C-alpha cells in the first residue's frame, strides 16, 4: 500500500484513540470548589475574552489570581481568547491543535529525518502517536501540551532539514506558549551556536548568528507586544510565570528533591533561597557535559540526545517541577524510538507510570491501562525492540568498559531481563495503588512508591543517555557515518 | 472449492490486528450506549433472579425477552459472572441501572465474547483462495480480509458503542461459513442451528442453508453436467442433519414446550404489531416506497386533489415505532413483505431465452447448478440482502448480515470487490443516525474514514486498478454532502424544530439508492455465473 494511505490510517487511528480517551472523565470533573485543569482553561477563556489585556496577569476585583490565575506566557492567553469566540466543545480544540501542529510534525520527522524502510517509518509514526502520556494528559486531564510540544518538534524538524532561522522561530513560539519549554532551550542554543562556530565566526557563522538573534528578539517582541508598553506589566507576567515563592516541589513528583525528602526533610532544613541556589547549581552541573558535547559536535543525533539529557536533568533537579513536566523529556525520547527502541520504550512507559497518581485522581484508570498496554505491545512488536537488543545496538560499550572487573555477561540480555522485571513491577504497583488501601500511618504510601520507583528509572536512564551522547567520538569514522548521524 | 494452503510461517500479525481492535474497544467503554444496554441488563436480571417458567412472562420492564431460549441461557451464564461486579444490576426492579461496575461488566462481556468472532475470522482467512507469487504481507487477501472483518466499522459502533452482542453471533455465523468452505458440513450445520436458536433473525438465511445442505451434502454425487443425481441420495446424511437440528431445538425450546409456554415464547419472538419501518428507517425498498407515498400525499394536498383531514394521522415520518397506514399507495402488511422476501429467491424457473434476463432465482440456482461452498456463500449474501431490502420491521443494523459474509467474496473477485465497496460504504453510512450524540460525532466520522480509506486502498491495490466507475464514485462522494447537510447545515436552519425527521429521511432515502443498486448488481452477478455455466455445456 502506498505511504500516504498507511500514514493517513495511522493518523486516523491516533486521532480516534485520542478522542476516545476524552470521552472519559477529565480533571476536576464534578469536584468543587476548585475543579481542575478543564475549569482553568475555561476560566482563562473568560478572563481573556472579557478583560482588557493589561489586566490579564494582575490581581484585580474582576480577576482573582488565586482561582486559576493565568500562569503561562502570552501565546496561551491569545489562544484562550481565540477559543472563547467559539463556544463549541473544548476537546475539539485540542484535536484541531493536534491535527494542525503536533501530528504533521511527527509525520515529517519520521519520513525525512529517521532511517529505515518506509514500513519502519510508518511504524515510527504510529508508535509516537500512541505515546500514552501525552494522550492522557491532553485529552484526559485536559491541557494543550500538543501545541507547545508540537511547535518544539517543528523546531527540531526544521533545524534537521537545515533551515536554522525558521527552526529558531518555531522554538521561540513554542517557548512563548509554555515557559516549561525552557527545559529544551539550552540544546537549541548550543546546537545553533555550535553550527555558527563550525561555519567560522568571522564570516558566514557570524551572519547566521546575527540572523538567528534578530529572529528571536523580533518574535519575542511580537508575542509580548501588548505588554511592552509598561515594564511593570513585564515584571508581573514574569512573576506569574516563575513562582519562586512556591518552594522546591509540590505534591509527589519523581525528581531528586522529592525523593531525597523521604530520607532528609530538605524542605524544612534549608531556606527557600538556599533551596533555589542548590537546585540551580545541581541542574547546571547536570546539563553541562551534554551541552558542551553538543557545542563541539552539532549534529542531529547529538541534538536529539542533548534534548533528552537537558530536559531530563531539568526535570530531576530543577525548582518547582510538576509531574506533567515529564512530557518535556518524553518528546525527544519519542524521536529516539527508531534508533534505540528498547531504552526509549522503557523511558516512555516509566514516564506514563510516574503520572499514575494524577490519572487515578482524574478517574482515568481504564484509559491508562489500555493505552499503556497498547503502546507497549505495538512498539515492541512493530519496532522489533527485542531484536535490537544486542550490546552493540544498545551502545553499551562504555558500560562494558566500566564493568571490566565483573564476570563476562551479555549486557543485552541483562537489559532485557531488567526491562521485564521493571514492567512487571510497574504493573504490580499500579494494581496495588488501585486495589489496596494504604495503611493509616502512611496515607501517601503508594504515590510515594510510584514516584521513587520512577525516579530511579529516570536517574538510570539519564546516566545511560548521557553516556551514549558523550561516548560518541568527536570525529566519526567514515564507515560509522550513517549510524552516528 | 479449492482450499488454499495457508502461509505456514508467520501469523503473528493476526494477534496484533485482534489486540489492536480490542484495545480500541476498551477505550470506548465509557462512550454513549443506547437503550439496548438496559435491554441486556434487564435480561441478565430476569434470567438470574426469576425461575425459568417466568422468563417469557416477565414484563416489569418494557424490554421483554424477545430472543430465543438459547440466548436466554447465554445471559443466564453471564449473570453468574455479573454478580461479582455489582449485585444490584441483577435486581429486576432496578430499571435503567447504570453503575460504573455495571457498565464495565457489560462492555467487557461484549469484548470478551468477541473472541468467538476473532476465531471465526482466523478460520475464514485460512480458507481464502490466494494467487501464487510473493507479495508483502499487507497485499495478501487473507490479511485484507482479517482487517476488513476485525475492524469492520459497523460491527464496532453497533457492538461497542450502541451496545449489542453481534460480534459473538456473527462469529458463529462466519465460523459456520468457514466450516462449509472447509468441507466440514456437519459442524457448519450444527453451528448454524445453534445460531438460529440464539437469534431468530437468521431465519432469513435459513433457506439458503437448507437447500445447500440438502443438495450438496445429502446428494453425495453430481452428474457430469452438474445437475442432481437422484440416485446418490444418502439417507444417513439426511438423518444426521435432521438429528442435529432437532436436538439443538430440543435443548433450546424443550423446557418451554414441556411447560406449555410455546405460544407465549413465539408471540414474544415474532411481534408483528410493530410497524413496517423501524424508527430510523432502514435504507431498504420500503424507505423508498414510503418516500414516494409521502411525496405523493404532499403533492396531492398542494394540488387540492386530497383533503388533509381525510389522511391518516399516524405518520411514519414521526420517527416512532408504530403501525400506520400509507396515504396513497397501497398499505403493506407483514405477509406481503414475506412474499417479497421469498420472491427473488424462489421464483419458478421458466426456460430462459438466452438473451433475456428473466432469472432463475438464487436458491433454485444452487439446486440446479451448485458451485460448491462459494456458490452457497453468494446465495447466503443475496438472501441476507434480499431480506434486508424487503423485510418487515427491518433494523438498519441488519445490513451487517450481508456485509460481513460478503467480505470473504470481496477479496477473491474483482467484480465482487466493486460491489462490496458500494454496499459497505453506503451501509455503514446508514448506521450514522444510531449515534446521534455530539460527543460521538468525531468517533464515528474518524472510524468511518479509517475503514473506508483502508477498504478502498487495500482492495484497489489487490486488484490493481480502479474498482468503481465515475457515477458510483460521485454517489459515494455525495455521502459527504449528505453528512454535512444533516449534521451541520440542517440544525442551523429554521426547519429544525418543525420537521426534525428530515435528516433521517434524507440519510435513509439516499442510502437506499446505494443499497438497492448493490443488491441488483449482486443478483445480476449471481445470474451471470449461472449463464456461464449454461454456456459451458452448450
Amino acid at each position: 500500500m502506498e505511504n500516504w494511505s498507511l500514514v493517513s490510517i495511522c493518523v486516523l487511528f491516533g486521532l480516534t484513540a485520542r478522542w476516545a480517551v476524552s470521552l472519559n472523565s477529565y480533571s476536576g470533573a464534578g469536584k468543587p470548589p476548585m475543579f481542575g485543569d478543564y475549569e482553568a482553561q475555561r476560566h482563562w477563556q473568560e478572563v481573556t475574552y472579557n478583560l482588557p489585556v493589561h489586566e490579564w496577569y494582575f490581581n484585580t476585583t474582576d480577576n482573582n489570581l488565586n482561582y486559576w490565575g493565568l500562569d503561562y506566557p502570552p501565546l496561551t492567553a491569545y489562544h484562550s481568547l481565540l477559543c472563547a469566540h467559539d463556544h463549541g466543545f473544548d476537546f475539539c480544540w485540542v484535536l484541531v491543535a493536534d491535527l494542525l501542529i503536533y501530528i504533521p510534525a511527527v509525520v515529517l520527522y519520521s519520513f525525512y529525518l529517521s532511517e529505515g524502510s518506509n514500513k519502519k517509518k510508518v511504524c515510527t509514526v504510529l508508535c509516537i502517536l500512541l505515546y500514552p502520556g501525552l494522550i492522557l494528559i491532553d485529552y484526559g486531564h485536559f491541557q494543550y501540551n500538543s501545541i507547545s510540544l508540537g511547535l518544539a518538534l517543528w523546531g527540531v524538524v526544521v533545524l534537521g532539514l537545515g533551515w536554522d532561522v525558521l527552526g529558531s522561530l518555531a522554538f521561540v513560539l513554542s517557548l512563548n506558549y509554555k515557559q516549561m519549554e525552557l527545559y529544551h532551550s539550552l540544546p537549541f542554543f548550543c546546537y545553533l551556536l555550535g553550527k555558527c562556530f563550525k561555519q567560522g565566526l568571522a564570516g558566514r557563522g557570524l551572519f547566521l548568528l546575527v540572523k538567528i538573534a534578530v529572529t528571536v528578539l523580533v518574535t519575542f517582541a511580537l508575542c509580548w507586544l501588548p505588554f511592552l508598553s509598561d515594564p511593570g506589566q513585564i515584571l508581573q507576567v514574569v512573576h506569574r510565570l516563575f513562582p519562586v515563592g512556591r518552594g522546591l516541589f509540590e505534591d509527589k513528583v519523581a525528581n531528586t528533591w522529592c525523593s531525597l525528602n523521604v530520607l532528609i526533610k530538605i524542605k524544612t532544613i534549608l531556606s527557600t533561597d538556599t533551596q533555589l541556589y542548590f537546585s540551580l547549581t545541581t541542574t547546571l552541573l547536570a546539563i553541562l557535559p551534554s551541552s558542551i558535547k553538543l557545542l563541539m559536535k552539532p549534529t542531529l543525533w547529538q541534538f536529539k540526545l542533548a534534548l533528552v539529557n537537558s530536559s531530563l536533568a531539568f526535570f530531576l533537579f530543577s525548582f518547582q517541577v510538576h509531574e506533567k513536566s515529564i512530557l518535556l523529556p518524553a518528546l525527544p525520547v519519542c524521536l529516539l524510538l527508531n534508533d534505540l527502541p528498547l531504552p526509549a520504550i522503557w523511558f516512555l512507559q516509566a514516564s506514563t507510570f510516574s503520572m499514575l497518581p494524577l490519572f487515578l485522581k482524574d478517574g482515568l484508570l481504564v484509559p491508562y491501562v489500555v493505552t499503556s498496554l497498547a503502546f507497549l505491545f505495538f512498539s515492541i512488536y512493530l519496532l522489533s525492540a527485542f531484536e535490537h537488543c544486542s550490546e552493540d545496538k544498545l551502545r553499551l560499550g562504555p558500560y562494558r568498559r566500566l564493568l571490566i572487573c565483573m564476570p563476562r555477561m551479555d549486557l543485552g540480555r541483562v537489559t532485557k531481563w531488567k526491562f521485564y522485571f521493571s514492567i512487571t513491577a510497574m504493573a504490580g504497583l499500579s494494581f496495588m495503588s488501585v486495589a489496596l488501601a494504604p495503611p493509616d500511618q502512611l496515607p501517601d504510601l503508594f504515590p510515594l512508591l510510584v514516584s521513587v520507583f520512577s525516579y530511579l528509572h529516570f536517574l538510570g536512564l539519564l546516566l545511560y543517555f548521557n553516556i551514549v551522547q558523550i561516548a560518541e567520538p568527536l570525529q566519526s569514522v567514515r564507515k560509522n557515518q550513517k549510524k552516528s548521524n | 472449492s479449492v482450499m488454499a494452503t495457508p502461509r505456514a510461517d508467520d501469523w503473528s500479525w493476526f494477534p496484533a490486528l485482534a489486540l489492536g481492535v480490542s484495545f480500541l474497544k476498551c477505550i470506548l467503554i465509557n462512550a454513549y450506549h443506547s437503550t439496548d444496554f438496559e435491554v441486556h441488563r434487564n435480561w441478565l436480571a430476569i434470567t438470574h433472579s426469576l425461575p425459568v417458567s417466568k422468563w417469557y412472562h416477565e414484563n416489569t420492564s418494557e424490554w421483554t425477552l424477545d430472543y430465543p431460549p438459547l440466548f436466554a441461557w447465554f445471559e443466564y451464564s453471564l449473570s453468574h459472572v455479573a454478580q461479582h461486579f455489582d449485585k444490584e444490576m441483577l435486581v429486576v426492579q432496578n430499571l435503567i441501572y447504570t453503575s460504573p461496575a455495571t457498565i464495565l461488566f457489560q462492555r467487557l462481556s461484549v469484548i470478551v465474547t468477541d473472541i468467538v468472532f476473532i476465531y471465526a475470522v482466523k478460520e475464514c482467512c485460512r480458507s481464502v483462495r490466494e494467487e501464487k507469487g510473493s507479495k508483502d504481507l499487507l497485499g495478501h487477501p487473507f490479511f485484507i480480509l482479517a482487517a476488513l472483518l476485525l475492524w469492520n466499522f459497523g460491527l464496532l459502533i453497533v457492538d461497542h458503542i450502541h451496545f449489542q452482542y453481534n460480534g459473538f453471533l456473527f462469529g458463529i455465523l462466519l465460523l459456520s461459513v468457514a466450516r462449509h468452505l472447509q468441507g466440514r458440513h456437519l459442524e457448519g450445520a450444527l453451528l448454524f442451528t445453534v445460531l438460529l436458536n440464539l437469534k431468530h433473525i437468521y431465519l432469513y438465511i435459513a433457506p439458503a442453508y437448507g437447500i445447500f445442505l440438502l443438495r450438496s451434502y445429502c446428494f453425495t454425487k453430481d452428474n457430469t453436467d452438474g445437475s442432481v443425481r437422484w440416485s446418490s441420495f444418502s439417507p444417513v446424511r439426511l438423518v444426521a442433519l435432521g438429528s442435529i437440528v432437532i436436538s439443538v431445538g430440543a435443548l433450546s425450546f424443550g423446557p418451554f414446550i414441556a411447560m406449555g409456554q410455546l405460544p407465549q415464547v413465539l408471540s414474544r419472538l415474532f411481534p408483528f404489531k410493530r410497524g413496517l419501518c423501524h424508527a430510523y428507517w432502514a435504507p431498504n425498498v420500503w424507505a423508498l416506497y414510503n418516500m414516494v407515498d409521502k411525496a405523493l400525499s404532499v403533492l396531492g394536498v398542494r394540488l387540492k386533489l386530497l383533503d388533509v383531514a381525510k389522511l391518516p394521522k399516524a405518520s411514519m415520518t414521526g420517527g416512532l415505532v408504530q403501525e400506520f397506514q400509507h396515504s396513497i399507495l397501497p398499505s403493506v402488511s407483514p405477509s406481503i413483505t414475506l412474499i417479497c422476501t421469498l420472491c427473488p429467491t424462489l421464483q419458478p424457473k421458466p426456460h430462459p431465452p438466452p438473451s433475456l434476463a428473466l432469472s432463475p432465482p438464487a436458491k433454485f440456482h444452487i439446486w440446479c447448478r451448485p458451485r460448491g461452498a462459494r456458490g452457497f456463500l453468494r446465495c447466503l449474501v443475496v438472501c441476507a440482502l434480499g431480506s434486508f431490502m424487503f423485510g418487515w420491521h427491518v433494523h438498519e443494523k441488519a445490513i451487517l448480515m450481508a456485509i460481513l459474509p460478503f467480505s470473504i467474496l470481496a477479496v477473491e473477485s474483482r467484480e465482487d470487490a466493486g460491489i462490496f465497496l458500494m454496499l459497505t460504504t453506503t451501509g455503514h453510512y446508514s448506521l450514522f443516525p444510531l449515534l446521534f450524540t455530539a460527543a460521538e460525532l468525531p468517533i464515528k466520522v474518524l472510524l468511518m474514514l479509517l475503514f473506508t480509506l483502508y477498504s478502498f486502498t487495500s482492495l484497489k491495490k489487490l486488484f490493481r486498478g480502479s474498482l468503481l466507475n465515475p457515477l458510483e464514485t460521485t454517489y459515494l462522494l455525495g455521502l459527504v454532502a449528505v453528512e454535512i447537510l444533516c449534521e451541520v447545515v440542517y440544525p442551523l436552519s429554521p426547519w429544525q424544530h418543525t420537521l426534525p425527521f428530515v435528516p433521517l429521511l434524507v440519510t435513509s432515502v439516499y442510502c437506499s439508492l446505494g443499497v438497492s443498486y448493490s443488491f441488483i448488481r449482486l443478483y445480476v452477478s449471481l445470474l451471470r455465473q449461472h449463464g456461464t455455466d449454461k454456456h459451458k455445456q452448450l
Side-chain angles (χ1 to χ4, degrees):
Chain A
M1 277 176 75
E2 298 109 7
N3 279 338
W4 71 265
S5 49
L6 280 174
V7 168
S8 313
I9 288 174
C10 291
V11 168
L12 284 170
F13 181 61
L15 288 172
T16 313
R18 280 159 165 72
W19 188 265
V21 168
S22 77
L23 294 173
N24 289 277
S25 169
Y26 53 83
S27 154
K31 293 200 189 103
M34 285 300 275
F35 299 95
D37 273 26
Y38 183 69
E39 169 64 13
Q41 308 282 347
R42 195 209 55 78
H43 180 68
W44 295 342
Q45 288 178 22
E46 215 175 43
V47 165
T48 53
Y49 193 71
N50 292 310
L51 298 178
V53 179
H54 58 265
E55 280 183 37
W56 288 356
Y57 287 92
F58 281 90
N59 208 358
T60 61
T61 41
D62 289 323
N63 185 12
N64 177 13
L65 289 182
N66 277 330
Y67 184 74
W68 298 115
L70 256 180
D71 51 4
Y72 284 129
L75 272 188
T76 300
Y78 304 147
H79 182 229
S80 297
L81 183 60
L82 189 69
C83 291
H85 278 100
D86 182 352
H87 294 284
F89 210 54
D90 279 321
F91 291 102
C92 271
W93 282 109
V94 192
L95 202 71
V96 167
D98 245 336
L99 194 56
L100 292 179
I101 303 179
Y102 182 69
I103 293 180
V106 171
V107 174
L108 281 173
Y109 169 77
S110 301
F111 274 88
Y112 290 107
L113 295 177
S114 70
E115 291 155 22
S117 66
N118 276 333
K119 270 243 200 95
K120 189 126 192 266
K121 296 184 183 186
V122 174
C123 292
T124 314
V125 171
L126 185 63
C127 292
I128 298 182
L129 288 181
L130 282 180
Y131 169 54
L134 189 56
I135 299 179
L136 290 168
I137 292 290
D138 268 14
Y139 291 85
H141 188 76
F142 196 74
Q143 276 203 339
Y144 283 97
N145 291 302
S146 56
I147 298 186
S148 57
L149 291 175
L151 285 169
L153 187 54
W154 272 105
V156 174
V157 171
V158 170
L159 284 182
L161 292 173
W163 302 325
D164 301 319
V165 176
L166 280 177
S168 42
L169 172 70
F171 181 68
V172 171
L173 286 175
S174 164
L175 191 56
N176 276 302
Y177 194 86
K178 285 213 171 170
Q179 69 275 30
M180 271 112 66
E181 284 294 328
L182 275 174
Y183 288 21
H184 288 152
S185 53
L186 207 58
F188 271 88
F189 178 72
C190 293
Y191 178 75
L192 288 168
L193 197 61
K195 269 190 110 172
C196 293
F197 283 163
K198 268 246 149 64
Q199 292 184 4
L201 256 192
R204 283 185 31 226
L206 187 64
F207 185 49
L208 182 62
L209 189 61
V210 169
K211 266 199 299 187
I212 294 173
V214 167
T215 317
V216 169
L217 288 170
V218 168
T219 320
F220 259 104
L222 283 174
C223 289
W224 290 62
L225 202 58
F227 306 96
L228 286 180
S229 49
D230 176 20
Q233 284 276 328
I234 303 182
L235 271 177
Q236 173 65 2
V237 180
V238 172
H239 185 70
R240 287 296 301 167
L241 296 183
F242 301 103
V244 288
R246 279 165 78 175
L248 201 53
F249 62 85
E250 252 175 46
D251 229 346
K252 300 279 167 293
V253 65
N255 79 352
T256 319
W257 311 126
C258 182
S259 309
L260 206 55
N261 206 42
V262 178
L263 303 168
I264 333 164
K265 298 275 173 248
I266 38 168
K267 249 184 134 168
T268 40
I269 294 177
L270 303 171
S271 72
T272 320
D273 279 345
T274 332
Q275 290 170 14
L276 190 57
Y277 291 134
F278 200 48
S279 89
L280 199 62
T281 354
T282 37
T283 315
L284 281 176
L285 281 175
I287 60 178
L288 215 54
S290 153
S291 309
I292 294 178
K293 182 66 192 266
L294 178 61
L295 206 57
M296 297 196 299
K297 188 177 184 193
T299 60
L300 184 65
W301 173 242
Q302 286 283 325
F303 183 37
K304 290 195 294 195
L305 284 168
L307 281 169
V308 176
N309 288 324
S310 163
S311 44
L312 193 51
F314 265 98
F315 178 83
L316 291 176
F317 298 106
S318 174
F319 204 77
Q320 188 60 219
V321 172
H322 291 270
E323 66 243 296
K324 288 177 266 177
S325 308
I326 197 66
L327 292 177
L328 288 154
L331 176 74
V333 172
C334 285
L335 305 181
L336 293 177
L337 270 172
N338 217 357
D339 311 287
L340 297 167
L342 194 62
I345 296 171
W346 202 349
F347 178 87
L348 293 173
Q349 187 52 49
S351 64
T352 314
F353 173 70
S354 71
M355 295 190 278
L356 177 63
L358 183 66
F359 298 143
L360 288 180
K361 234 192 295 181
D362 288 342
L364 293 169
L365 175 65
V366 171
Y368 161 73
V369 171
V370 175
T371 48
S372 302
L373 286 174
F375 174 72
L376 274 174
F377 176 75
F378 279 105
S379 47
I380 294 178
Y381 175 70
L382 291 173
L383 298 173
S384 317
F386 289 141
E387 274 122 63
H388 294 288
C389 215
S390 64
E391 254 187 55
D392 190 42
K393 291 243 173 77
L394 289 177
R395 300 171 199 241
L396 291 174
Y399 281 91
R400 163 70 52 211
R401 273 175 255 139
L402 281 169
L403 298 168
I404 204 92
C405 42
M406 299 274 282
R408 182 134 192 96
M409 46 184 171
D410 182 359
L411 286 180
R413 274 188 72 195
V414 170
T415 315
K416 229 198 294 197
W417 280 101
K418 285 203 297 191
F419 176 75
Y420 290 145
F421 176 71
S422 158
I423 298 291
T424 322
M426 284 191 222
L429 267 175
S430 307
F431 177 74
M432 286 200 293
S433 300
V434 178
L436 304 176
D440 286 328
Q441 317 95 297
L442 305 162
D444 280 329
L445 178 65
F446 292 121
L448 200 64
L449 280 175
V450 166
S451 62
V452 170
F453 190 74
S454 314
Y455 169 67
L456 293 171
H457 279 73
F458 296 151
L459 198 62
L461 283 160
L462 178 69
L463 203 63
Y464 169 74
F465 284 122
N466 266 301
I467 289 178
V468 170
Q469 183 183 2
I470 295 173
E472 206 202 329
L474 269 177
Q475 298 301 327
S476 39
V477 181
R478 199 45 82 86
K479 66 174 175 184
N480 281 340
Q481 199 78 31
K482 233 182 170 180
K483 208 172 166 191
S484 29
N485 264 354
Chain B
S1 62
V2 175
M3 201 175 87
T5 37
R7 272 163 73 94
D9 38 59
D10 205 14
W11 275 76
S12 66
W13 53 270
F14 189 82
L17 271 183
L19 265 177
V21 76
S22 304
F23 284 134
L24 182 63
K25 294 170 189 172
C26 286
I27 32 176
L28 290 173
I29 282 180
N30 281 317
Y32 154 83
H33 53 78
S34 69
T35 48
D36 275 341
F37 183 86
E38 166 62 14
V39 170
H40 287 280
R41 185 215 62 80
N42 188 41
W43 294 356
L44 278 175
I46 292 178
T47 51
H48 189 88
S49 319
L50 300 174
V52 179
S53 54
K54 295 237 177 65
W55 286 1
Y56 282 93
H57 285 284
E58 172 60 38
N59 59 0
T60 313
S61 160
E62 55 177 318
W63 309 115
T64 55
L65 191 55
D66 56 2
Y67 276 17
L70 217 53
F71 197 86
W73 288 110
F74 168 70
E75 292 273 12
Y76 177 69
S77 42
L78 277 182
S79 69
H80 283 289
V81 183
Q83 62 188 352
H84 300 292
F85 277 75
D86 185 348
K87 283 205 163 57
E88 293 300 311
M89 77 170 105
L90 298 172
V91 176
V92 179
Q93 282 73 27
N94 281 350
L95 297 181
I96 318 192
Y97 182 73
T98 51
S99 71
T102 312
I103 295 182
L104 187 66
F105 168 72
Q106 295 245 69
R107 292 283 198 203
L108 281 180
S109 67
V110 184
I111 297 173
V112 167
T113 51
D114 266 357
I115 226 163
V116 177
F117 186 71
I118 294 174
Y119 176 65
V121 170
K122 179 134 195 237
E123 289 296 308
C124 288
C125 290
R126 279 187 18 192
S127 316
V128 163
R129 263 194 224 119
E130 177 194 337
E131 296 145 26
K132 292 296 166 218
S134 62
K135 288 188 205 142
D136 85 301
L137 177 65
L138 296 183
H140 272 286
F142 52 69
F143 180 86
I144 298 177
L145 178 65
L148 288 177
L149 284 174
L150 287 173
W151 287 77
N152 185 287
F153 168 78
L155 206 54
L156 264 174
I157 64 165
V158 169
D159 266 19
H160 300 278
I161 301 185
H162 185 85
F163 195 84
Q164 273 207 332
Y165 284 92
N166 289 309
F168 169 63
L169 296 168
F170 279 115
I172 300 181
L173 177 66
L174 286 177
L175 194 56
S176 155
V177 167
R179 289 289 176 251
H180 284 302
L181 289 175
Q182 291 163 357
R184 289 148 75 168
H185 296 291
L186 278 180
E187 287 179 43
L190 172 65
L191 286 163
F192 184 70
T193 325
V194 167
L195 183 65
L196 267 186
N197 281 292
L198 280 169
K199 193 168 178 180
H200 51 294
I201 200 174
Y202 295 97
L203 271 174
Y204 280 130
I205 49 178
Y209 266 87
I211 298 190
F212 168 69
L213 283 170
L214 204 58
R215 174 67 181 85
S216 294
Y217 185 64
C218 295
F219 290 95
T220 46
K221 289 199 194 65
D222 291 342
N223 286 328
T224 38
D225 66 350
S227 62
V228 59
R229 186 187 290 193
W230 295 96
S231 55
S232 69
F233 179 72
S234 157
V236 175
R237 289 192 170 187
L238 183 65
V239 168
L241 279 178
S243 53
I244 287 177
V245 174
I246 293 175
S247 50
V248 175
L251 203 68
S252 159
F253 282 89
F256 298 94
I257 298 176
M259 288 187 287
Q261 287 188 2
L262 192 62
Q264 169 71 359
V265 174
L266 288 177
S267 76
R268 284 285 178 88
L269 258 50
F270 301 100
F272 279 107
K273 274 282 162 207
R274 294 198 197 149
L276 176 64
C277 287
H278 190 273
Y280 291 120
W281 286 42
N284 60 7
V285 152
W286 305 125
L288 289 170
Y289 191 79
N290 296 334
M291 171 74 165
V292 170
D293 176 67
K294 191 76 183 151
L296 285 177
S297 71
V298 167
L299 204 63
V301 169
R302 284 278 165 80
L303 297 178
K304 306 270 194 289
L305 294 172
L306 294 170
D307 184 4
V308 179
K310 292 217 192 89
L311 286 177
K313 285 292 171 202
S315 162
M316 266 187 310
T317 52
L320 298 169
V321 179
Q322 329 166 332
E323 276 193 79
F324 67 91
Q325 306 290 323
H326 283 100
S327 318
I328 309 223
L329 301 173
S331 277
V332 178
S333 73
S335 20
I336 296 182
T337 60
L338 195 62
I339 296 171
C340 288
T341 316
L342 293 177
C343 260
T345 51
L346 271 182
Q347 279 166 7
K349 172 195 167 198
H351 268 294
S355 54
L356 263 193
L358 260 192
S359 16
K363 286 172 229 162
F364 209 73
H365 159 84
I366 49 171
W367 180 269
C368 297
R369 296 281 181 275
R371 302 186 92 248
R374 273 184 171 64
F376 152 68
L377 183 57
R378 188 171 297 272
C379 174
L380 192 151
V381 175
V382 171
C383 282
L385 197 51
S387 66
F388 178 82
M389 295 294 299
F390 298 103
W392 178 268
H393 195 77
V394 169
H395 200 291
E396 61 268 353
K397 292 183 223 134
I399 194 76
L400 291 175
M401 206 179 0
I403 291 179
L404 290 172
F406 194 26
S407 316
I408 304 177
L409 294 173
V411 299
E412 288 179 345
S413 131
R414 194 199 174 81
E415 197 197 345
D416 285 334
I419 306 174
F420 175 77
L421 287 176
M422 258 311 258
L423 180 64
T424 307
T425 316
T426 333
H428 282 167
Y429 180 73
S430 73
L431 294 172
F432 265 39
L434 281 179
L435 302 183
F436 50 82
T437 47
E440 272 67 28
L441 173 63
I443 291 269
K444 69 185 184 193
V445 168
L446 287 171
L447 282 175
M448 177 84 184
L449 282 174
L450 188 62
F451 183 82
T452 314
L453 181 64
Y454 179 74
S455 54
F456 272 81
T457 46
S458 61
L459 288 175
K460 208 167 141 179
K461 181 88 188 292
L462 182 65
F463 294 111
R464 276 175 281 267
S466 177
L467 297 165
L468 299 175
N469 62 42
L471 185 65
E472 291 166 336
T473 319
T474 322
Y475 171 81
L476 289 179
L477 286 173
L479 285 174
V480 178
V482 172
E483 170 67 1
I484 296 177
L485 181 78
C486 293
E487 299 272 7
V488 181
V489 174
Y490 195 77
L492 301 171
S493 74
W495 302 292
Q496 168 63 8
H497 298 289
T498 44
L499 304 169
F501 56 84
V502 165
L504 295 175
L505 184 96
V506 169
T507 309
S508 214
V509 170
Y510 194 82
C511 290
S512 47
L513 294 172
V515 175
S516 315
Y517 173 75
S518 309
F519 176 66
I520 296 171
R521 272 195 68 187
L522 198 54
Y523 209 80
V524 166
S525 82
L526 188 70
L527 305 175
R528 219 183 282 139
Q529 280 188 352
H530 180 98
T532 29
D533 281 343
K534 269 219 149 317
H535 282 262
K536 272 194 198 144
Q537 302 162 39
L538 298 172

